[in-house]
């Protein structure tokens, strides 16, 4: 009956009892048969238990391996986040630096434009001053020439001519100074 319902736990024990009974009765062949059946049953049960234990150990190993992999991946994700935040920080600093550089360049350009305008204005004023000095020296020279034309005394005429020459010399010196680099 136990063989029909495949009751392995009790069947192994009963094969052992049957083997002992046949052995005491002197039926060694039947005793040997039931002993072999008991051993086969024990071996298959042990194999099933061994397989179950092995399966449990394998499951435990794979679970631990997967947990280690998950932990490793968690560390990698944490490192990637750190790198990501550092990259964002560096990008922000670079952006701030670029903005400062741009703002500084714009301010420098405006300052240079103002200086250029002031320089142009100063050059125009300097040209105007030079023109006025030149005109004033010409007026003085012309007045001396007119005055010397009306004078009859030669000594006075020579003195006027000498004054006119000095005014023209001052004009030449002024012209050289104005056209010079300094």
């Amino acid at each position: 009956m136990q063989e029909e319902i495949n009751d392995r736990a009790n069947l192994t024990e009963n094969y052992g009892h049957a083997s002992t009974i046949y052995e005491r009765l002197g039926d060694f062949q039947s005793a040997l048969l039931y002993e072999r059946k008991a051993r086969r049953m024990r071996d298959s049960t042990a194999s099933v238990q061994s397989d179950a234990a092995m399966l449990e150990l394998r499951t435990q190993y794979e679970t631990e391996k997967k947990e280690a992999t998950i932990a490793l991946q968690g560390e990698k994700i944490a490192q990637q986040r750190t790198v990501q935040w550092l990259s964002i920080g560096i990008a922000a600093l670079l952006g701030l630096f670029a903005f400062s550089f741009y703002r500084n360049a714009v301010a420098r350009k405006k300052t240079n434009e103002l200086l250029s305008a002031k320089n142009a204005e100063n050059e125009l004023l300097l040209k105007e001053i030079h023109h006025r000095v030149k005109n004033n020296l010409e007026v003085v020279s012309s007045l001396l020439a007119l005055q010397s034309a009306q004078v009859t005394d030669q000594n006075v005429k020579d003195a006027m001519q000498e004054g006119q020459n000095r005014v023209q010399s001052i004009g030449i010196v002024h012209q050289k100074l104005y056209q010079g680099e300094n």
Side-chain angles (χ1 to χ4, degrees):
M1 231 175 16
Q2 285 180 338
E3 284 179 348
E4 288 176 13
I5 60 171
N6 201 15
D7 183 12
R8 288 181 177 251
N10 291 326
L11 193 59
T12 305
E13 189 177 336
N14 288 337
Y15 282 151
H17 291 306
S19 171
T20 306
I21 291 170
Y22 280 120
E23 183 181 344
R24 286 189 184 155
L25 290 175
D27 187 1
F28 295 111
Q29 198 168 8
S30 294
L32 181 61
L33 175 72
Y34 281 104
E35 182 62 31
R36 284 182 182 164
K37 282 185 176 184
R39 282 191 187 192
R40 264 190 258 130
M41 195 58 82
R42 254 186 255 123
D43 287 347
S44 71
T45 305
S47 175
V48 167
Q49 288 173 349
S50 165
D51 288 346
M54 186 65 88
L55 183 62
E56 185 177 337
L57 286 174
R58 178 175 282 155
T59 303
Q60 185 179 3
Y61 170 74
E62 288 178 2
T63 302
E64 288 174 0
K65 187 176 173 183
K66 285 181 182 179
E67 286 174 355
T69 302
I70 290 170
L72 183 64
Q73 287 175 348
E75 289 176 13
K76 283 183 180 180
I77 289 171
Q79 285 177 349
Q80 287 175 347
R81 283 187 183 147
T82 303
V83 168
Q84 205 172 27
W85 281 111
L86 284 174
S87 298
I88 289 170
I90 289 171
L93 285 175
L94 287 175
L96 185 63
F97 178 72
F99 176 72
S100 296
F101 182 75
Y102 172 75
R103 206 172 105 210
N104 206 5
V106 168
R108 229 181 290 126
K109 184 178 178 183
K110 284 182 182 179
T111 303
N112 287 343
E113 287 174 358
L114 287 174
L115 285 175
S116 293
K118 285 283 185 188
N119 284 343
E121 184 179 332
N122 287 343
E123 285 181 25
L124 185 63
L125 289 174
L126 194 60
K127 283 181 182 180
E128 180 64 27
I129 289 171
H130 169 68
H131 181 68
R132 286 184 183 193
V133 168
K134 189 176 171 183
N135 280 347
N136 287 340
L137 290 173
E138 284 295 322
V139 167
V140 170
S141 179
S142 295
L143 286 174
L144 286 174
L146 285 174
Q147 192 66 36
S148 71
Q150 293 179 358
V151 174
T152 56
D153 186 7
Q154 189 59 37
N155 285 337
V156 174
K157 241 183 188 177
D158 287 341
M160 294 254 194
Q161 183 63 39
E162 189 177 322
Q164 190 178 1
N165 287 343
R166 285 183 182 172
V167 168
Q168 285 177 348
S169 293
I170 291 172
I172 290 171
V173 168
H174 175 74
Q175 184 74 22
K176 293 279 184 187
L177 287 175
Y178 174 74
Q179 290 175 349
E181 291 288 322
N182 296 330

